C-alpha cells in the first residue's frame, strides 16, 4: 500500500521527495510522489546527484519544506533544534553565526572567508552579511558535515548548508498563510504556481512577510530585538525540448529591524536591573536599527546528453547592502555608538558533467569561477566626556601610578562610576594636573615646589629630556577641554577571484562495497584594503597614548592595499559497506579555510590557510521492519593554523579591537546520533544527541605553548540533545489532527575563545510545540484548510545567545537575550 509518511535521516525529519518534473515521450509533464513503504528513504543531492541518503558515505541531515512548516521553522537559528552537531546564532539578519561540529563561521570583516558554506540551489551565499535568508516555499534543507570542499567549494571547511527552493511544476495551484502571535507578530506568506505554456513553460511566485515588535523595551525610545522582513521570489521553468530544462530564479529580501539589545551587566538602567532579558536603556533610542537589502538571480541549465551523461550549468549573481546602527556599550551613556555599513556583489559560474553507469560507477567533474567585491565601513561616535569616566581615567591612573605612586594617581584620577542611578557621569575638562601635583609634593615636603623642581628631584632619578617631555604632557593635559563628540571611521574592502576544477565519483566494487573519492584544485587571488582618516575632532587621549588623533582606528595614508595568490588542494576518500539497508562507512578528508590578507597601517598580516584533517566513521540505516531509522557517527578533526580573533590594540590606536589571529593547533572529537521510531502507525518518536570535545592544543607546530591552550571552542556545547513526538491522526477522509511537541537542551557555552567565565551561558532547555487541524472545506480535491497553533520556549526560559561583542574593547561587555515564550496561531488555505 502506498502512503505518505515521515522519514528520518541524520537526526532530522523529511517527507518523501517528489520526482523531478520531466517531459516524457508524449510531451506530457507529470508530478509523481516517490513511492515509500517504510521509514527508510529520503532523496538528497549532496553528491550532485539524487541518491538515497543511506547510500551517501557522509553524515547528512535534511528537513523538508513540509517539515519546516509543521515545526514552524522560519529562520536559521531554529534549525539547530533538530539537527545534531549544528548550532546557529542569529543576533540579527546582519550577524548570523553558523557552528558545525564545534567550529564557528561568523566573521563580518570583508577580508575574512567562511568556514561553513551556505548555498541556495547550488549558488554560494556564504558572505556573512548576506547569508541569513528567510525560509519560505522550500523543497528541503540539507546539512552535510565535515570537510566538504570537494563537493561545495572553498568555503566548506567544516560543512555546508544547502537550501533547495521549490521550482515550478506543471499544475495550477497556490497557498496562502496568515498568522498572528505574541509581540504583535503578523505573518503572511504563500505561493502561486501557474502553467503558462502546456508542458513547456511554468512559473511560481512566492512571498513572505513577517513583522514583530521587539521583546526588549528600550527606555530611551522604541523597542529592541524585533523583526520586520519582506521577501519574494519568482521562478520560471522552461523545457527546451525533451532533454533540456532551464530555470531562472529571481529573489529579493528587505529587512528593516529595530536595533539589537546589546545590554551591559554592570550598570542597570534607571528603575531596572542588569538582566539581559529585561528592559534596556540604550541612549540612541530609535536611531538603533538594522536595514538590509538582498537581491539575486540564478540561471540553471540541465541537459541530458544521453542515458549516462548529463550537463549542468549554474550561473549566479548576488548583491547586498546593509546598515546596522548599534549601541556598543549597552548603557544609557553615550560612550560608543557604532554603525556597520556593508556592501557586496558577487558572480559565480559552474559547469559540471555528471556520469552515471548503473552497473558500477557514478560521478561528476567540472570547473567553476567565483568573483566577489565586498566592503565594510565602521563609523564610530564617542562622547569622550563620558568615556573619561568609563575608561580614560583608569588608563591615565595606571600611567601616572607607574610614574609616581598609586596614591598620587588616585588623587589625580579618582574612580568615577560611568553611571549612577541609570544616568551617565561625565567630565568636561581634564584635571589641573600641574597644580595638584605641586600641592601634593609641597604638602609632603612642607615647602612650596614647582613641577620642574619635583621632576628634578634625585628621588625620581629622571633624565632631563624625559623631565621636559613629561612636563610638556602634563601642561597639555591640565584643564584640557574634553570632546563631547569624537567621530572616526575605518573601511576595509576585499576583492576575491577563485578558479576551481573538481572531480568526484563512486565506484561500486561489489553490490555491498563502494569506494568514493574526490579532489578539488583551487587558485585564489585575494586583495584587501584598509582606510581610516584622521578624526576632525582629535582625541587628546589618542594623541598622548599613541600620537594619533583617533581612538580606535589607526590612521592610514589614504587607502592602502595588499594582495596574495593562493593555490590549494582538498580531497576526500570514503569506503562504505551495505548490510541490507544499513550502511557502514569510513571517510578521510582534507579541508581548508582560505587565508586572510589583513591590511593595516602597521603592516599586512597574511594568515595562512586553515587546514583540517578529518577522520570519520558511521553507520546509518533502518531496523525493526522499517520502524526504526537511525544514524550514528564519530569523528576526529586535527587543525593547523586555526584562525581565531583576539582583542589587540593596533599600532596608532588607543582601544583594543577584535583582529584575526593564528591560534595554532586545535582538535575536536565528537559523536552524534539521531533516530526516529514509529511507536504506532500515527505516533513517531524522534531524537538527536551530540557530544563535542573541541579544544585548542597545548602547543603549536613548533612546540610553543599556545595562548588558548586547553580552551574550548566558542559557541560549542559539549553535550546537546533533542527529543520530540509527532502525532498525526486521520479522523476521516480529508481530516487530519496533529500534535508535535519537541524539547531541546544544550550544556554550557563559552562565547569567546579565551573562555572568559563572565561571557558564558549555562546549560538550558527549550520546549516548543505545534498543533493543528487540517480539513477540506469543499468537495474540491485541491482545496484544503489548516488551522494551527504554536508555542516556542513555552516554559519561558531566560537565556542569552551572545556575550562580549564590541563593548568588550572598552571594558563594557554586552549580552544579548534569547527569545522569550511566544505563542500564536495560523490559518493556511491551499487551492
Amino acid at each position: 500500500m502506498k502512503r505518505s509518511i515521515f522519514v528520518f535521516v541524520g537526526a532530522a525529519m523529511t517527507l518523501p521527495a517528489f520526482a523531478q518534473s520531466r517531459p516524457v515521450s508524449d510531451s506530457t509533464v507529470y508530478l509523481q510522489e516517490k513511492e515509500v513503504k517504510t521509514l527508510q528513504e529520503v532523496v538528497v543531492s549532496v553528491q550532485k546527484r539524487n541518491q538515497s541518503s543511506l547510500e551517501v558515505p557522509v553524515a547528512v541531515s535534511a528537513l523538508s519544506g513540509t517539515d519546516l512548516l509543521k515545526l514552524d521553522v522560519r529562520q536559521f537559528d531554529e534549525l539547530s533544534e533538530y539537527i545534531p552537531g549544528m548550532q546557529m546564532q542569529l543576533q540579527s539578519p546582519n550577524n548570523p553565526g553558523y557552528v558545525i561540529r564545534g567550529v564557528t563561521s561568523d566573521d563580518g570583516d570583508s577580508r575574512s572567508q567562511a568556514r561553513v558554506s551556505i548555498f541556495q540551489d547550488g549558488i554560494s551565499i556564504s558572505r556573512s552579511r548576506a547569508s541569513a535568508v528567510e525560509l519560505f516555499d522550500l523543497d528541503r534543507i540539507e546539512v552535510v558535515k565535515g570537510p566538504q570542499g570537494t563537493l561545495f567549494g572553498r568555503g566548506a571547511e567544516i560543512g555546508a548548508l544547502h537550501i533547495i527552493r521549490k521550482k515550478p511544476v506543471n499544475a495550477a495551484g497556490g497557498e496562502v498563510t496568515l498568522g498572528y502571535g505574541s509581540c504583535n507578530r503578523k505573518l503572511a506568506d504563500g505561493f502561486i504556481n501557474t502553467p503558462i505554456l502546456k508542458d513547456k513553460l511554468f512559473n511560481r511566485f512566492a512571498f513572505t512577510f513577517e513583522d514583530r515588535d521587539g521583546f526588549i523595551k528600550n527606555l530611551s525610545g522604541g523597542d529592541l530585538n524585533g523583526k520586520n522582513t519582506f521577501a519574494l521570489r519568482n521562478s520560471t521553468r522552461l523545457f527546451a525540448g525533451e532533454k533540456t530544462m532551464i530555470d531562472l530564479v529571481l529573489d529579493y529580501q528587505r529587512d528593516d529591524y529595530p536595533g539589537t539589545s546589546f545590554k551591559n551587566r554592570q550598570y542597570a538602567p534607571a528603575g531596572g536591573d542588569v538582566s539581559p532579558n529585561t528592559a534596556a536603556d540604550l541612549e540612541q533610542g530609535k536611531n538603533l536599527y538594522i536595514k538590509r537589502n538582498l537581491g539575486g538571480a540564478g540561471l540553471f541549465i540541465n541537459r541530458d546528453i544521453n542515458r549516462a551523461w548529463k550537463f549542468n550549468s549554474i550561473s549566479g549573481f548576488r548583491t547586498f547592502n546593509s546598515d546596522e546602527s548599534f549601541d556598543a556599550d549597552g548603557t544609557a551613556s553615550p560612550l560608543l555608538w557604532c554603525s556597520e555599513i556593508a556592501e557586496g556583489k558577487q558572480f559565480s559560474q559552474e559547469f559540471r558533467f555528471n556520469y552515471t553507469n548503473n552497473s558500477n560507477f557514478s560521478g561528476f567533474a567540472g570547473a567553476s569561477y567565483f568573483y566577489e567585491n565586498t566592503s565594510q565601513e565602521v563609523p564610530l561616535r564617542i562622547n569622550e566626556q563620558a568615556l573619561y569616566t568609563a575608561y580614560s581615567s583608569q588608563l591615565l591612573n595606571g600611567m601616572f601610578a607607574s610614574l609616581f605612586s598609586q596614591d598620587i594617581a588616585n588623587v589625580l584620577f579618582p574612580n568615577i562610576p560611568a553611571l549612577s542611578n541609570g544616568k551617565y557621569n561625565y567630565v568636561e575638562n581634564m584635571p589641573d594636573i600641574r597644580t595638584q601635583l605641586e600641592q601634593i609634593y609641597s604638602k609632603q615636603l612642607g615647602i612650596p615646589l614647582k613641577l620642574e623642581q619635583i621632576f628634578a628631584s634625585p628621588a625620581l632619578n629622571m633624565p632631563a629630556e624625559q623631565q621636559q617631555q613629561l612636563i610638556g604632557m602634563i601642561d597639555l593635559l591640565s584643564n584640557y577641554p574634553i570632546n563631547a563628540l569624537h567621530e572616526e571611521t575605518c573601511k576595509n574592502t576585499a576583492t576575491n577571484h577563485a578558479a576551481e576544477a573538481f572531480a568526484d565519483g563512486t565506484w561500486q566494487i561489489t553490490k555491498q562495497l563502494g569506494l568514493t573519492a574526490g579532489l578539488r584544485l583551487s587558485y585564489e587571488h585575494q586583495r584587501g584594503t584598509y582606510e581610516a582618516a584622521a578624526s576632525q575632532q582629535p582625541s587628546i587621549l589618542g594623541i598622548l597614548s599613541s600620537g594619533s588623533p583617533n581612538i580606535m582606528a589607526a590612521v592610514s595614508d589614504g587607502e592602502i592595499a595588499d594582495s596574495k595568490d593562493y593555490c590549494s588542494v582538498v580531497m576526500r576518500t570514503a569506503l562504505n559497506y551495505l548490510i541490507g539497508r544499513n550502511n557502514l562507512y569510513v571517510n578521510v578528508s582534507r579541508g581548508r579555510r582560505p587565508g586572510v590578507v589583513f591590511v593595516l597601517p602597521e603592516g599586512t598580516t597574511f594568515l595562512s590557510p586553515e587546514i583540517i584533517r578529518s577522520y570519520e566513521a558511521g553507520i546509518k540505516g533502518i531496523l525493526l521492519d522499517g520502524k526504526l531509522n537511525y544514524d550514528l557517527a564519530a569523528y576526529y578533526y586535527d587543525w593547523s593554523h586555526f584562525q581565531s580573533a583576539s582583542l589587540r590594540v593596533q599600532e596608532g590606536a588607543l582601544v583594543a579591537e577584535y583582529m584575526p589571529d593564528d591560534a595554532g593547533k586545535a582538535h575536536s572529537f565528537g559523536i552524534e546520533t539521531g533516530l526516529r521510531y514509529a511507536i504506532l502507525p500515527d505516533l513517531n518518536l524522534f531524537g538527536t544527541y551530540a557530544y563535542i570535545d573541541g579544544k585548542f592544543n597545548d602547543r603549536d607546530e613548533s612546540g610553543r605553548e599556545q595562548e588558548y591552550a586547553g580552551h574550548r571552542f566558542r559557541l560549542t556545547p559539549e553535550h546537546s540533545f533533542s527529543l520530540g513526538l509527532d502525532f498525526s491522526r486521520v479522523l476521516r477522509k480529508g481530516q487530519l489532527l496533529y500534535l508535535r511537541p519537541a524539547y531541546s537542551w544544550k550544556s554550557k557555552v563559552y562565547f569567546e575563545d579565551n573562555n572568559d567565565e563572565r561571557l558564558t551561558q549555562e546549560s538550558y532547555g527549550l520546549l516548543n510545540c505545534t498543533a493543528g487541524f487540517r480539513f477540506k472545506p469543499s468537495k474540491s480535491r485541491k482545496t484544503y484548510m489548516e488551522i494551527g497553533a504554536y508555542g516556542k520556549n513555552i516554559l519561558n526560559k531566560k537565556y542569552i545567545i551572545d556575550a562580549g561583542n564590541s563593548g568588550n574593547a572598552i571594558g563594557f561587555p554586552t549580552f544579548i537575550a534569547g527569545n522569550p515564550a511566544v505563542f500564536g496561531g495560523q490559518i493556511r488555505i491551499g487551492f
Side-chain angles (χ1 to χ4, degrees):
M1 175 182 176
K2 297 182 182 179
R3 56 193 176 103
S4 297
I5 58 173
F6 285 94
V7 293
F8 188 82
V9 57
M13 298 179 296
T14 181
L15 288 178
F18 284 90
Q20 188 180 45
S21 296
R22 301 285 301 171
V24 291
S25 57
D26 64 358
S27 298
T28 302
V29 179
Y30 296 95
L31 181 70
Q32 295 180 332
E33 188 176 0
K34 181 179 175 66
E35 181 176 323
V36 178
K37 297 182 179 180
T38 58
L39 291 173
Q40 60 180 22
E41 306 287 343
V42 62
V43 174
V44 295
S45 56
V46 295
Q47 296 192 135
K48 310 303 181 185
R49 57 189 182 273
N50 289 338
Q51 294 177 277
S52 163
S53 63
L54 298 181
E55 299 170 359
V56 180
V58 296
V60 57
S61 301
L63 277 169
S64 78
T66 303
D67 295 331
L68 296 171
L69 291 177
K70 288 190 171 187
L71 297 167
D72 199 43
V73 172
R74 295 181 176 273
Q75 55 189 39
F76 275 154
D77 57 332
E78 297 169 338
L79 283 174
S80 55
E81 309 298 329
Y82 307 102
I83 297 178
M86 184 181 75
Q87 304 291 326
M88 291 193 182
Q89 178 198 71
L90 200 62
Q91 283 189 7
S92 72
N94 201 46
N95 284 280
Y98 308 96
V99 187
I100 291 184
R101 290 180 168 177
V103 179
T104 301
S105 182
D106 65 350
D107 198 334
D109 192 293
S110 64
R111 295 161 293 186
S112 68
Q113 303 290 327
R115 284 189 176 106
V116 176
S117 282
I118 312 298
F119 275 77
Q120 273 187 160
D121 297 331
I123 297 173
S124 174
I125 59 169
S126 303
R127 177 58 55 185
S128 171
R129 298 307 184 242
S131 62
V133 295
E134 289 298 293
L135 305 179
F136 68 103
D137 198 36
L138 301 184
D139 184 77
R140 65 186 182 277
I141 292 178
E142 299 173 352
V143 178
V144 58
K145 304 162 196 172
Q148 301 300 334
T150 301
L151 299 175
F152 288 94
R154 54 199 286 272
E157 183 216 27
I158 197 62
L161 186 153
H162 193 189
I163 303 165
I164 301 164
R165 300 175 291 186
K166 286 188 176 180
K167 304 301 186 297
V169 294
N170 189 23
E175 186 177 270
V176 175
T177 301
L178 299 174
Y180 186 80
S182 302
C183 299
N184 196 28
R185 183 196 187 210
K186 298 175 285 290
L187 171 71
D189 67 18
F191 72 88
I192 184 166
N193 193 95
T194 309
I196 299 174
L197 294 176
K198 183 179 179 181
D199 305 335
K200 294 291 184 181
L201 184 64
F202 326 129
N203 194 78
R204 188 182 187 97
F205 176 79
F207 72 95
T208 185
F209 166 79
E210 184 175 350
D211 180 75
R212 172 175 53 77
D213 296 342
F215 58 83
I216 300 291
K217 182 181 179 181
N218 188 0
L219 300 181
S220 287
D223 52 41
L224 303 162
N225 295 17
K227 182 175 184 177
N228 179 279
T229 189
F230 170 71
L232 54 86
R233 179 192 320 131
N234 193 79
S235 306
T236 304
R237 170 166 288 180
L238 171 68
F239 285 109
E242 294 187 357
K243 295 185 177 182
T244 303
M245 183 175 68
I246 301 172
D247 286 302
L248 175 64
V249 181
L250 307 174
D251 60 74
Y252 172 77
Q253 180 171 326
R254 166 69 175 171
D255 300 313
D256 188 2
Y257 285 45
T260 300
S261 178
F262 294 93
K263 187 175 178 182
N264 179 268
R265 270 183 169 171
Q266 183 179 0
Y267 295 102
D273 56 48
V274 297
S275 168
N277 306 91
T278 58
D281 192 358
L282 308 188
E283 52 91 21
Q284 281 300 316
K286 294 183 179 180
N287 288 330
L288 306 176
Y289 57 81
I290 302 110
K291 299 180 186 295
R292 191 179 66 141
N293 293 279
L294 306 174
L299 179 65
F300 310 87
I301 301 174
N302 299 279
R303 179 168 177 80
D304 294 343
I305 300 173
N306 54 41
R307 287 181 176 273
W309 286 94
K310 292 178 171 56
F311 170 76
N312 304 97
S313 170
I314 303 176
S315 308
F317 173 77
R318 190 167 177 81
T319 182
F320 75 92
N321 63 72
S322 65
D323 180 1
E324 178 169 6
S325 170
F326 61 99
D327 187 322
D329 60 84
T331 71
S333 177
L335 284 176
L336 186 56
W337 174 28
C338 302
S339 292
E340 183 195 19
I341 302 168
E343 296 181 353
K345 292 182 174 64
Q346 73 174 55
F347 170 77
S348 60
Q349 176 63 57
E350 178 178 296
F351 296 115
R352 186 177 72 245
F353 289 92
N354 280 57
Y355 176 79
T356 301
N357 181 328
N358 291 329
S359 60
N360 59 8
F361 184 80
S362 296
F364 62 88
S368 65
Y369 171 74
F370 178 84
Y371 164 82
E372 69 170 347
N373 187 299
T374 65
S375 66
Q376 180 195 47
E377 184 175 1
V378 183
L380 308 172
R381 303 97 169 169
I382 301 169
N383 184 321
E384 287 196 79
Q385 296 178 358
L387 184 68
Y388 180 87
T389 66
Y391 180 79
S392 307
S393 61
Q394 293 94 311
L395 187 72
L396 291 167
N397 184 294
M399 181 188 303
F400 276 78
S402 66
L403 291 172
F404 301 100
S405 70
Q406 188 63 62
D407 289 340
I408 291 176
N410 290 342
V411 172
L412 295 173
F413 304 101
N415 180 38
I416 305 173
L419 293 96
S420 300
N421 300 319
K423 303 297 183 182
Y424 76 93
N425 297 314
Y426 63 96
V427 173
E428 295 181 332
N429 295 281
M430 297 285 271
D432 188 346
I433 303 173
R434 171 182 272 272
T435 300
Q436 290 191 35
L437 278 173
E438 290 175 347
Q439 291 175 349
I440 290 170
Y441 277 94
S442 297
K443 183 177 181 181
Q444 287 180 350
L445 299 177
I447 57 173
L449 292 171
K450 292 294 184 181
L451 189 63
E452 288 78 7
Q453 295 173 300
I454 297 170
F455 278 116
S457 168
L460 291 180
N461 191 26
M462 188 177 295
E465 183 178 352
Q466 186 180 358
Q467 292 178 34
Q468 295 302 316
Q469 290 176 347
L470 287 174
I471 291 171
M473 180 189 74
I474 289 172
D475 285 339
L476 178 65
L477 281 175
S478 296
N479 295 312
Y480 192 92
I482 302 174
N483 291 329
L485 176 64
H486 170 89
E487 294 180 290
E488 61 184 76
T489 186
C490 63
K491 182 178 181 179
N492 61 77
T493 73
T495 303
N496 299 310
H497 301 262
E500 299 182 300
F502 51 85
D504 190 280
T506 299
W507 175 36
Q508 204 62 41
I509 302 171
T510 68
K511 288 184 177 181
Q512 289 77 36
L513 183 64
L515 175 66
T516 300
L519 180 74
R520 183 177 290 257
L521 309 174
S522 300
Y523 164 77
E524 300 165 306
H525 176 74
Q526 296 179 220
R527 181 179 186 270
T529 74
Y530 174 90
E531 182 175 10
S535 173
Q536 297 301 305
Q537 306 92 19
S539 167
I540 182 61
L541 296 171
I543 293 172
L544 286 173
S545 64
S546 61
S548 170
N550 290 359
I551 295 176
M552 300 189 76
V555 176
S556 66
D557 184 13
E559 183 182 87
I560 55 177
D562 215 330
S563 63
K564 188 171 183 177
D565 295 340
Y566 293 93
C567 295
S568 70
V569 178
V570 295
M571 60 191 73
R572 69 169 184 146
T573 302
L575 196 67
N576 71 291
Y577 189 81
L578 288 171
I579 306 173
R581 296 306 295 163
N582 300 275
N583 188 2
L584 178 66
Y585 66 89
V586 294
N587 63 57
V588 178
S589 57
R590 180 182 189 270
R592 172 186 179 272
R593 184 190 192 186
V596 176
V597 180
F598 196 76
V599 184
L600 289 175
E602 65 189 65
T604 301
T605 299
F606 295 101
L607 286 187
S608 299
E610 182 178 293
I611 303 299
I612 177 176
R613 293 170 178 83
S614 166
Y615 311 90
E616 182 173 341
I619 184 170
K620 51 187 173 181
I622 55 172
L623 297 171
L624 304 179
D625 297 324
K627 292 183 178 180
L628 176 65
N629 185 311
Y630 70 95
D631 189 334
L632 174 66
Y635 57 88
Y636 180 80
Y637 297 152
D638 183 23
W639 277 275
S640 57
H641 302 295
F642 191 96
Q643 296 173 14
S644 183
S646 58
L647 276 173
R648 291 192 289 127
V649 179
Q650 293 186 45
E651 183 179 321
L654 172 65
V655 176
E657 64 176 303
Y658 286 98
M659 298 201 293
D661 192 15
D662 188 332
K665 296 277 290 179
H667 67 274
S668 180
F669 169 75
I671 299 172
E672 61 190 31
T673 185
L675 61 84
R676 184 174 182 85
Y677 180 61
I679 303 173
L680 298 170
D682 51 14
L683 181 62
N684 293 331
L685 169 72
F686 64 89
T688 71
Y689 170 76
Y691 166 77
I692 302 174
D693 182 31
K695 294 179 179 178
F696 293 95
N697 291 9
D698 292 337
R699 300 188 179 276
D700 63 14
E701 291 91 339
S702 302
R704 297 169 298 192
E705 185 173 343
Q706 299 194 139
E707 180 181 1
Y708 298 141
H711 290 187
R712 289 189 57 80
F713 294 161
R714 56 189 289 259
L715 298 179
T716 303
E718 185 175 9
H719 302 276
S720 61
F721 74 84
S722 65
L723 189 66
L725 290 173
D726 177 12
F727 172 76
S728 299
R729 170 68 59 86
V730 177
L731 302 179
R732 60 183 184 217
K733 190 172 182 180
Q735 295 183 356
L736 177 71
L737 180 68
Y738 63 86
L739 176 68
R740 301 180 185 98
Y743 180 79
S744 60
W745 179 91
K746 61 182 70 175
S747 60
K748 181 178 180 178
V749 170
Y750 291 96
F751 292 108
E752 298 290 348
D753 283 333
N754 65 8
N755 286 188
D756 187 335
E757 288 292 341
R758 299 172 305 158
L759 310 179
T760 62
Q761 168 60 54
E762 296 297 328
S763 62
Y764 69 96
L766 300 177
L767 176 64
N768 302 327
C769 187
T770 61
F773 179 62
R774 184 184 179 106
F775 61 97
K776 292 183 177 295
S778 69
K779 295 182 178 180
S780 171
R781 295 181 59 188
K782 292 185 177 181
T783 303
Y784 59 87
M785 182 176 291
E786 183 176 318
I787 300 173
Y790 63 85
K792 298 182 181 182
N793 189 11
I794 293 172
L795 303 179
N796 200 27
K797 175 65 180 178
K798 308 295 185 184
Y799 65 101
I800 61 172
I801 61 171
D802 202 7
N805 305 299
S806 300
N808 207 23
I810 58 170
F812 274 63
T814 56
F815 302 79
I816 303 175
N819 290 342
V822 293
F823 302 90
Q826 297 175 169
I827 182 169
R828 180 174 296 118
I829 301 173
F831 52 89

